[in-house]
Amino acid sequence: MSPRRNRPRAAGPRPGARDMGSGLERTEAWQGEDWVVRRITGTAAAKHYRCPGCDQEIPPGVPHVVTWPSLGAVDDRRHWHGPCWNARDRRGARTLRSRNAPRY
């Protein structure tokens, strides 16, 4: 019996993407600003996060997207569900408020 042959690998990362260990980074324009976008695999996602697009929790082990302004600081990072980030123009980031806060 001959050994199993591996499938050929893809040609490589997309143009403009760079490998940063846990995922590929790319830059996208949104709201007149350049944003760095990094995809996080399920195995690299180890904490709970709250998606600003839908205000739902992203549990550990779920692949998602981390974004921040290219000129921003570490505190500016936000963790989004992939579909929420793709629909960000229709779903803008929600403001954080407590359950008992008045709704204007």
Side-chain angles (χ1 to χ4, degrees), residues 18-75:
R18 57 185 185 199
D19 188 6
M20 296 301 289
S22 63
L24 294 176
E25 280 186 9
R26 65 183 182 280
T27 304
E28 295 183 16
W30 182 46
Q31 294 181 341
E33 196 171 355
D34 285 338
W35 289 73
V36 179
V37 180
R38 180 185 297 171
R39 298 233 175 246
I40 303 297
T41 62
T43 55
K47 292 172 48 180
H48 289 271
Y49 298 102
R50 178 132 338 245
C51 175
C54 65
D55 201 31
Q56 298 295 313
E57 188 175 274
I58 303 172
V62 174
H64 60 279
V65 177
V66 179
T67 63
W68 64 94
S70 61
L71 300 176
V74 173
D75 293 338

